[in-house]
Amino acid sequence: MNKCTKYEALYIFGNDETLKQHVETCEECQKEQEEMDKVSKLLQEVKPYYVEKRRNVAKLKAACAIFAILLSGTTLGVINFNTDISDTIRYGNTLSADDLGLPVDAYGLIMVE
């Protein structure tokens, strides 16, 4: 008893008409077609749940992107309009040796005795 192996080849490479004709004549391929139909029905049944999940993920990504744009725009706007903050960020608050309380000479260099 030889097992029919034409179903996979006809399903992938053949057209629908030749597949239907072969399935009508072959019992093994009829069983395989029934299994494929059952799987297809199950996939159609759960499809809305996955589509909804994908939409929720897309909405979350869009919300995060909008939040990041608004946050960075607000931060850059505050920095550009407030010169005290922008000068501090640009030039920094570097402390000299004199500010740290170390003995310095007239040039601002640390004195070594």
Side-chain angles (χ1 to χ4, degrees):
M1 181 175 212
N2 294 333
K3 185 175 179 181
C4 181
T5 58
K6 293 182 180 179
Y7 182 81
E8 184 178 353
L10 288 173
Y11 187 80
I12 295 173
F13 300 112
N15 57 15
D16 290 338
E17 294 174 12
T18 56
L19 179 64
K20 285 181 184 179
Q21 289 173 357
H22 180 73
V23 167
E24 289 173 359
T25 59
C26 181
E27 291 181 19
E28 290 181 18
C29 293
Q30 284 177 355
K31 291 178 185 176
E32 209 164 330
Q33 181 66 35
E34 289 173 3
E35 289 178 15
M36 292 292 281
D37 290 339
K38 288 179 185 178
V39 170
S40 179
K41 287 178 185 177
L42 286 174
L43 288 174
Q44 291 299 323
E45 186 177 326
V46 297
K47 183 180 176 181
Y49 299 114
Y50 287 106
V51 170
E52 186 65 31
K53 184 178 180 182
R54 205 177 314 153
R55 284 183 187 152
N56 289 340
V57 170
K59 288 178 185 177
L60 182 62
K61 285 181 183 178
C64 289
I66 290 170
F67 177 74
I69 290 169
L70 289 176
L71 181 66
S72 63
T74 304
T75 303
L76 291 174
V78 167
I79 289 172
N80 284 335
F81 290 125
N82 192 345
T83 57
D84 294 337
I85 294 174
S86 62
D87 289 342
T88 302
I89 290 174
R90 282 190 202 131
Y91 304 115
N93 289 334
T94 56
L95 296 175
S96 64
D98 191 30
D99 294 336
L100 294 173
L102 299 171
V104 293
D105 60 3
Y107 297 107
L109 301 173
I110 299 175
M111 287 186 1
V112 180
E113 294 180 12

